[in-house]
Amino acid sequence: MTWAVNEPAGEKADAGIVMGNADSSPPNVARIYDYYLGGTNNYPQDREAARKVLGTVPDVPLAALENREFLRRAIRYLTEEAGIRQFLDIGPGLPTQGNVHQLARQHNADARVVYVDNDPAVIGRAQSLLHGLDGVTIVKGDLRQPERIIANPQLREPIDFSHPVALCMSLVLHFLTNAEDPYSVVTLLREVLCPGSYS
Ligand SMILES: C[S@@+](CC[C@H](N)C(=O)[O-])C[C@H]1O[C@@H](n2cnc3c(N)ncnc32)[C@H](O)[C@@H]1O
């Protein structure tokens, strides 16, 4: 089976929001992922890189879509059945349709969500889209420095770690090398969660 992905009509990401330079910036992970999901927040260099991957692993778009479906099921369970009201999502990607705050708020309009990403393009786009949305924010942080993520006051203000939190790290841990010790990163992040939390 082959998978067709949308070709954006223009060469510029939508809404004129800063996404990096279409002419000179290198391919970007979040924009490539957006392309696989059928989005339009990507540039020619992203699509070219994405197509190279497709040449070797043609099912990547299917995996991306399945991952989004998994996220939808997981957030529904966490909000509806586990009663989670706080979400910490590290490596959210571009905030296109079906992100954690949209999913969680379908079930609980008061759900609080903090996104953490290390990509300035993602941060800029997300800040613009999330502007004016109470209880949803994005902060800059790198999974390779988990102690700095946890200590960030911008994260500590909306998230109360004395109450259960869902820590989401979907399709992001594979960006860490073995030398960056993803196991210790996850352990450290989990240590801050109180009983009743999920990760
Ligand atoms: C493939 S997207 C995942 C999107 C989303 N979590 C999902 O499951 O649909 C990967 C995201 O992780 C971010 N990322 C990659 N390495 C990271 C790191 N070391 N720290 C924080 N974010 C990182 C990228 O910028 C990108 O936004």
Side-chain angles (χ1 to χ4, degrees), residues 5-185:
V5 262
N6 288 345
E7 291 301 319
E11 297 295 52
K12 196 170 183 307
D14 64 6
I17 288 161
V18 179
M19 291 282 300
N21 187 325
D23 299 323
S24 61
S25 69
N28 172 287
V29 162
R31 295 193 306 244
I32 290 172
Y33 185 60
D34 174 74
Y35 174 69
Y36 289 142
L37 288 174
T40 56
N41 288 289
N42 49 73
Y43 294 138
Q45 63 268 39
D46 306 311
R47 300 194 283 276
E48 191 187 328
R51 285 191 210 101
K52 278 187 188 154
V53 175
L54 286 178
T56 314
V57 195
D59 283 346
V60 168
L62 174 62
L65 290 168
E66 283 296 328
N67 175 65
R68 281 311 245 212
E69 268 302 294
F70 163 74
L71 198 62
R72 188 186 58 74
R73 291 194 301 274
I75 302 300
R76 189 208 59 77
Y77 171 80
L78 289 165
T79 40
E80 271 205 331
E81 295 187 40
I84 297 289
R85 299 163 47 91
Q86 309 187 98
F87 296 82
L88 174 56
D89 183 5
I90 304 180
L94 290 169
T96 50
Q97 282 301 311
N99 269 57
V100 167
H101 72 284
Q102 293 156 329
L103 297 168
R105 288 187 165 196
Q106 283 173 10
H107 307 287
N108 182 342
D110 297 326
R112 274 176 283 160
V113 180
V114 175
Y115 295 113
V116 178
D117 208 286
N118 69 344
D119 182 342
V122 170
I123 308 263
R125 180 78 168 110
Q127 277 174 341
S128 163
L129 281 172
L130 303 176
H131 182 70
L133 213 51
D134 232 22
V136 186
T137 190
I138 184 157
V139 300
K140 193 165 192 299
D142 197 308
L143 205 41
R144 290 167 292 199
Q145 297 171 319
E147 59 295 319
R148 293 184 70 168
I149 292 179
I150 293 164
N152 188 336
Q154 288 175 292
L155 182 148
R156 292 270 179 175
E157 198 264 313
I159 300 275
D160 177 356
F161 284 102
S162 67
H163 291 279
V165 173
L167 169 63
C168 312
M169 290 177 286
S170 161
L171 269 190
V172 65
L173 284 168
H174 58 291
F175 289 110
L176 269 57
T177 64
N178 285 347
E180 288 165 343
D181 197 1
Y183 290 100
S184 296
V185 167

